[in-house]
Amino acid sequence: MDTPHDANQHVPHDLLNRSVRDIASGTEGTLMAVVHENVGTLGDHWMDIAYIRPERGGVEFTTAAANIEAAR
């Protein structure tokens, strides 16, 4: 994906606004957005980052979009 190096981009995702599970932590919540972000500290490293709002309230958290699956 060609991405400008000065801006993040929202990415379409089939699970947007649905209940998802973060495989890494086991936490479930609603997928609010997926954003293509530069996460590199020593240069460019772009990844799709999922923003999830926990079901039981609290602060939205992030994980790699590859780490999410539909909640059962």
Side-chain angles (χ1 to χ4, degrees):
M1 170 185 273
D2 275 338
T3 303
H5 294 282
D6 60 351
N8 299 326
Q9 293 183 348
H10 284 262
V11 177
H13 198 283
D14 291 341
L15 297 174
L16 266 170
N17 299 312
R18 293 184 157 175
S19 292
V20 296
R21 180 177 173 272
D22 172 25
I23 297 167
S25 69
T27 305
E28 293 187 2
T30 302
L31 179 61
M32 303 306 294
V34 176
V35 179
H36 195 65
E37 295 184 15
N38 184 357
V39 297
T41 55
L42 299 175
D44 286 345
H45 181 77
W46 292 85
M47 290 181 62
D48 289 343
I49 304 297
Y51 285 78
I52 301 170
R53 180 173 294 151
E55 288 181 355
R56 298 175 192 229
V59 178
E60 264 184 27
F61 67 95
T62 60
T63 190
N67 283 351
I68 60 171
E69 64 184 10
R72 297 183 187 129

